[in-house]
Amino acid sequence: MKESINYNNIHPWEEYSNMINQKSAVIKLDAVVVGAGFSGLYMLYRLREAGFSTRVFEASSGVGGGLA
């Protein structure tokens, strides 16, 4: 069974910038996807399916891009 997308890993940019300002925040990722629209979520799915550690960043408070 394929793994579903965990929407808890989609962070608004403001929240992430606060994490960066903390000196102890070290995040190692294989890939970063900018935008949680259809294409961004599809890329998240494909990268995780291939075994990459990935994080999605979205400027708005929700996902879906133009579909929402």
Side-chain angles (χ1 to χ4, degrees):
M1 186 170 172
K2 294 190 177 191
E3 183 180 336
S4 62
I5 296 174
N6 179 0
Y7 292 105
N8 293 328
N9 286 332
I10 300 173
H11 298 279
W13 179 254
E14 208 172 288
E15 178 184 334
Y16 181 69
S17 63
N18 291 336
M19 289 169 51
I20 287 179
N21 292 332
Q22 300 172 2
K23 290 184 179 182
S24 62
V26 176
I27 302 170
K28 293 186 178 187
L29 299 169
D30 295 319
V32 173
V33 177
V34 178
F38 180 78
S39 298
L41 294 177
Y42 178 71
M43 187 53 58
L44 171 69
Y45 170 77
R46 293 299 303 247
L47 288 166
R48 288 194 176 167
E49 188 176 53
F52 291 98
S53 61
T54 310
R55 174 96 22 118
V56 173
F57 295 98
E58 172 58 47
S60 67
S61 61
V63 299
L67 301 174

